[in-house]
Structure formats: C-alpha cells, structure tokens
C-alpha cells in the first residue's frame, strides 16, 4: 500500500475512533473511564511523541540543508534574484488569498443573524508589531536562535554560512562535503519518520475528535463553511491556475506529489513541524533542486500563510457583521495589507493565526473580543488552513525552481506514480 494511502486510512480511522470515544465518554461508568484512559495514556502520548520527533528534525535540517543550498546558489550568484522572486510570490499569493476571502465573505454574509449573547471570554495577547518582526530577523546568537527555533534567524545565519563556505577555498570545500553528508543523513531520518506517520496521525486525530464536540461546528456552520470554501477555491483553483500559467506543469501531478506534505500539515496544524516533510516532497517528488528548496520551504513555512490569511479575511467580515459594524472600502484595503503582514508575523505553529487576527481587527477598529466567537471551531480550521499554507509554499517553490531552471521534470512526472520515497529506493 502507498504511504499516503496509509496516512489517509490512519486519518479516517482516527476521526471515526475519536468521534466514537466522544460519544462513549458521555455514556458514564466503565466506558467513560476506558475512553479517558485510552485518550490520555495512549493517543495523547503517541501523538505528542510523533509531533515532537518531527519538530526535532526541523532545526538541524533547515540549517544543514540551507548551508548546502545557499553555497550551491552562491556559486551562480543567483541568490538575490531568487530571494526577491520568492518573497514577491509569497506576498502576492497571500494578498490574493485575503482578497478572495473578503469577496466570498461579503457574498455569503456568514455573520448576519449571529447571536452575540453567550460569547466566551477571550484574553487578547499582544501581536508582534511590524518593527519587531523586522528587527527579529537578525540573530545576535545563532545557538539561541536554534534553541528557540527562530526560523528567520536560522535562515539568515545559514545563508551567511553557505556564502562564506564558497568563499573559503579548500577548507570551505571540506566543510561543504561534511554538510552535504549530514544533509543526506537527516533526510534519511525524515524518511524513517514518514513511515511512522499513519500511526502518529491516527493518534493525533483520535485524541482531537474525542474532545471536539460537533455542536461547536453547527453553531458556526456558515462561518466554518465560508472559510473552508475559500480555502478550497484558493488551495485548488488559484494554485492550479498559477502553477499552470507560470510553469506549464500539470496541476494534478503537482497535487499528487504534494499530498504527503498536505496530510502532515493537516494532522499537525503546524507548517513548522511539517518542514522536514515539505522539503522532502519538494525536492524528491516535485524535483526542485536543493539550492532553491532549502531556501523557499523554510521561508514559506515561516512567512507564507495563505490559508491563515483567508481565515482572517472571513473572520474580519464575520465579526464586523456579528457586531453590526460596517467596514469601508479603505477598511477593506487595510485588511488586505494587514492580513498579508500578519501572515509574515504568524509563526507556523498551531493556533497562532488567531492571535495575529487581533492585529487585523485592531487595524479596522473592530472589537478584538470578537475572536471569542470563532475560537470554538478554530482548531479544525487550523488543520485545513495549514494544509493550504504548505501547498502554497510548495507551489511557489515549484514556480521559482522552474523559472530558475532547477526543476527536474522527469522527477516531477515520475514520482507521482511511485509508491515509495527516494531513500527507500536507495536502501533497496
Ligand atoms: N497553524 C498554522 C500554520 O502552522 C498557523 C495558523 O494559522 O495558526 O501554518
């Protein structure tokens, strides 16, 4: 059986078992105890270990891979052009995503008729300012940056190191060989981990759905439905058009290739934790060269959040309607700009999109407490939007790779039909 088929089976089984346990836990007596024990002592433990082992690989992988990538890139001095192209595409796709979200939300009116009584408490925590976000890109201490998993700082340090490697003559060459060997070793670790995914994913979803009441979703069905609709339109429609238009590559093949990363993103709700898988997929299945992917993927996981900005766009309209406040045209433009910036400031970990939403709401003078209205369904939406975030990173990586002539179409076309991953093949 293909690995992604196994992961999907794990997901479906996890949702079903979780939903069953949700019912059982209400039954009382033995069943309640049994389901509580299984959820806390088995599913939670296995699921948490799975996510931890994914996260474990992020920092070493990004560092080593980007040193290799930027030194390969530096030789051709295309680094600057590639970086500008990548940033530009990330920003444009995000702005497009918010615009789409605002348009759909205004057509569907998800917030009309919402009863504001019974809103939960929400303590808004401070969102980072644009200035802070900018200054924070530059590390003062690389070890600290790595210990804290500060992705942008790690990216800056790794690029510097990679560029220095190619300017260091013979010692640089020796260092590069070491980095390249390490890179292969870590990629093999990623492959190991991907084979545990069906079980990890099963446990994560079983735990989540055993706690998630279906009632929360029914109350907010219109908001939930609008966000999911726009996520689908953007994640499938817009990305297909952009990919086809900018590269001529077949979108169906693209989605087949990118599927494992989408599934990981969905299950973990974290772009960051998914970096190892996204990088593996973009390099080994889509065929983008390491010199591009090692830069575009971790950068995308950190600053490119199309799915998150879609949620923020719909949520803004929803909250405005629920409170009966009108947003002006200028207000909408401000939402587009702020949500695009907020997406840069949103860390790729679960639930942060909801925190940076307060930045957007404040910008247009909406009550931040409105966030309490949508908290109930956010975990599930977080999973879906993270899958879109990751697809966006992979799509832009493909476009940049293709435009720099560093996308191997033979790999792109072949891998979708292949059952296993490169490392597995090499291992015989
Ligand atoms: N969970 C999202 C991600 O990691 C961020 C968010 O929207 O909260 O991409």
């Amino acid at each position: 059986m293909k690995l992604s088929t196994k992961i999907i089976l794990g997901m479906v089984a996890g949702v079903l078992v979780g939903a069953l346990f949700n019912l059982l836990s209400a039954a009382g007596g033995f069943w309640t105890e049994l389901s509580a024990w299984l959820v806390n002592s088995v599913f939670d433990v296995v699921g948490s270990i799975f996510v931890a082992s994914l996260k474990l690989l992020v920092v070493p992988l990004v560092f080593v891979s980007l040193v290799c990538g930027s030194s390969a890139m530096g030789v051709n001095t295309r680094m600057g052009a590639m970086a500008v192209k990548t940033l530009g595409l990330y920003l444009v796709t995000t702005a497009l995503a918010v615009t789409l979200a605002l348009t759909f939300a205004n057509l569907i009116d998800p917030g009309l008729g919402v009863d504001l009584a019974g809103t939960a408490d929400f303590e808004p925590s401070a969102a980072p300012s644009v200035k802070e976000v900018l200054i924070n890109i530059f590390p003062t201490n690389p070890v600290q940056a790595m210990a804290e998993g500060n992705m942008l700082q790690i990216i800056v340090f790794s690029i510097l190191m990679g560029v220095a490697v190619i300017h260091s003559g013979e010692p640089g060459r020796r260092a590069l060989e070491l980095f390249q060997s390490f890179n292969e070793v870590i990629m093999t670790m990623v492959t190991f981990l991907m084979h545990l995914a069906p079980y990890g994913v099963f446990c994560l979803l079983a735990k989540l759905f055993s706690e998630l009441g279906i009632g929360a979703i029914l109350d907010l069905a219109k908001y939930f439905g609008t966000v999911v609709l726009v996520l689908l339109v953007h994640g499938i429609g817009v990305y297909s058009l952009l990919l086809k238009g900018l590269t001529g590559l077949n979108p169906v093949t693209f989605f087949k290739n990118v599927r494992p990363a989408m599934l990981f993103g969905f299950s973990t709700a974290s772009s960051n934790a998914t970096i190892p898988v996204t990088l593996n997929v973009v390099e080994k299945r889509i065929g983008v060269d390491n010199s591009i992917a090692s830069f575009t993927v971790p950068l995308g996981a950190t600053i490119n959040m199309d799915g998150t900005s879609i949620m923020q766009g719909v949520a803004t309209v929803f909250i405005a309607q629920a409170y009966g406040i009108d947003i002006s045209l200028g207000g909408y433009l401000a939402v587009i700009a702020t949500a695009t910036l907020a997406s840069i400031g949103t860390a790729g970990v679960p639930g942060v999109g909801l925190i940076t939403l307060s930045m957007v709401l404040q910008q247009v003078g909406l009550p931040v407490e409105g966030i309490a209205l949508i908290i109930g369904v956010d975990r599930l939406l977080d999973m879906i939007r993270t899958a879109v975030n990751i697809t966006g990173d992979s799509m832009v990586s493909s476009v940049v790779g293709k435009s720099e002539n560093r996308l191997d179409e033979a790999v792109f076309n072949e891998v979708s039909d292949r059952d296993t991953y490169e490392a597995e093949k090499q291992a015989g």
Side-chain angles (χ1 to χ4, degrees), residues 51-58 193 264 268-278 301 348-350 390:
V51 175
S53 25
L54 265 176
K55 287 189 188 157
L56 163 83
L57 294 177
V58 173
L193 203 63
F264 269 70
T268 59
S270 167
S271 304
N272 243 315
T274 312
I275 289 176
V277 182
T278 317
V349 291
I390 285 162

Side-chain angles (χ1 to χ4, degrees), residues 269-272 305 308 346-354 382 385-386 389:
S270 167
S271 304
N272 243 315
M305 314 263 167
T308 303
T346 305
V349 291
V352 181
L354 210 58
D382 197 5
R385 70 178 180 249
T386 305
N389 290 344

Side-chain angles (χ1 to χ4, degrees), residues 105-340:
N106 272 294
L107 290 174
I108 300 175
D109 291 333
L112 289 190
V114 169
D115 186 5
L116 275 182
T119 53
D121 282 334
F122 175 76
E123 270 298 322
S125 47
S129 74
V130 176
K131 181 182 154 196
E132 266 166 25
V133 170
L134 274 179
I135 294 178
N136 272 334
I137 295 176
F138 297 90
T140 50
N141 178 343
V143 178
Q144 188 184 15
M146 289 184 196
E148 289 171 351
N150 187 323
M151 212 44 69
L152 291 179
Q153 295 191 349
I154 298 173
I155 289 175
V156 169
F157 180 67
S158 313
I159 290 178
L160 263 177
M161 181 92 126
V163 173
V165 158
I166 47 163
H167 286 101
S168 303
E170 180 53 24
R173 204 190 50 73
R174 285 199 302 271
L176 184 59
E177 264 172 21
L178 189 69
F179 275 110
Q180 279 165 342
S181 311
F182 256 122
N183 196 24
E184 284 308 313
V185 173
I186 300 176
M187 272 292 187
T188 310
M189 288 171 82
V190 175
T191 318
F192 287 162
L193 203 63
M194 282 165 95
H195 285 92
L196 295 180
Y199 315 101
V201 163
F202 168 80
C203 289
L204 281 177
L205 292 191
K207 159 139 199 299
L208 182 68
F209 277 83
S210 70
E211 288 164 352
L212 215 65
I214 201 80
I217 297 175
L218 290 182
D219 291 341
L220 288 165
K222 219 167 163 191
Y223 164 74
F224 189 88
T226 311
V227 178
V228 173
L229 176 69
V230 185
L231 285 174
L232 289 177
V233 170
H234 189 76
I236 298 176
V238 174
Y239 287 163
S240 296
L241 288 176
L242 284 176
L243 187 80
K244 187 81 197 160
L246 295 174
T247 66
L249 294 171
N250 182 345
V252 178
T253 315
F254 169 80
F255 282 109
K256 278 189 192 162
N257 282 334
V258 97
R259 192 167 58 180
M262 292 172 82
L263 296 177
F264 269 70
F266 179 83
S267 312
T268 59
S270 167
S271 304
N272 243 315
T274 312
I275 289 176
V277 182
T278 317
L279 201 54
N280 188 298
V281 157
V282 170
E283 287 184 15
K284 311 269 187 209
R285 288 167 68 103
I286 297 186
V288 179
D289 191 74
N290 166 264
S291 61
I292 305 281
S294 65
F295 173 73
T296 55
V297 169
L299 184 72
T302 314
I303 69 163
N304 183 49
M305 314 263 167
D306 293 3
T308 303
S309 71
I310 285 172
M311 175 279 284
Q312 296 183 337
V314 176
T316 306
V317 174
F318 174 80
I319 291 171
Q321 289 175 344
Y323 281 93
I325 300 170
D326 273 334
I327 306 179
S328 64
L329 183 64
Y332 280 119
L333 292 178
V335 171
I336 296 176
T338 329
T340 306

